[in-house]
């Protein structure tokens, strides 16, 4: 029973079926319990901008993360956190 429980947990948490699922899990792990700036998320995820933008759009639309925008001189600061 112990092995069964841990194997199920491993399969649900650590194994992604598709490349997109792997990217989503990676981004969620990077964000974790904190807020992460967009630029840092791009660096730490090692994804191309368009790929990260797609993952972020998916996570925003599925209400798994939220985007916080801080207005400042120049570009606004975009941060993300898990909902």
């Amino acid at each position: 029973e112990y092995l069964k429980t841990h194997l199920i947990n491993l399969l649900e948490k650590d194994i992604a079926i598709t490349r997109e699922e792997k990217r989503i899990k990676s981004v969620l792990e990077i964000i974790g319990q904190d807020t992460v700036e967009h630029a840092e998320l791009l660096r730490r995820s090692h994804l191309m901008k368009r790929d990260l933008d797609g993952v972020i759009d998916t996570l925003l639309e599925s209400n798994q993360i939220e985007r916080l925008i801080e207005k400042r001189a120049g570009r606004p600061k975009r941060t993300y956190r898990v909902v």
Side-chain angles (χ1 to χ4, degrees):
E1 189 63 34
Y2 173 82
L3 288 175
K4 180 181 174 185
T5 302
H6 281 31
L7 182 59
I8 290 171
N9 187 32
L10 176 70
L11 290 172
E12 289 175 348
K13 181 180 176 224
D14 296 329
I15 296 179
I17 305 299
T18 66
R19 181 181 298 158
E20 190 66 19
E21 287 176 4
K22 184 176 180 181
R23 290 174 177 167
I24 288 170
K25 287 178 185 281
S26 174
V27 168
L28 284 172
E29 284 180 16
I30 292 168
I31 296 171
Q33 300 301 319
D34 298 322
T35 59
V36 177
E37 287 186 40
H38 185 83
E40 180 181 353
L41 189 55
L42 186 59
R43 280 191 303 274
R44 291 179 56 194
S45 69
H46 304 289
L47 294 173
M48 299 296 292
K49 181 188 180 310
R50 70 173 180 268
D51 295 329
L52 179 60
D53 288 346
V55 170
I56 289 172
D57 289 344
T58 298
L59 291 170
L60 287 168
E61 289 183 25
S62 62
N63 293 317
Q64 294 183 62
I65 64 170
E66 65 181 348
R67 178 185 291 143
L68 308 167
I69 299 176
E70 179 184 324
K71 296 191 186 238
R72 59 184 184 177
R75 285 185 170 170
K77 178 180 172 183
R78 295 177 290 169
T79 58
Y80 303 95
R81 68 176 174 204
V82 175
V83 175

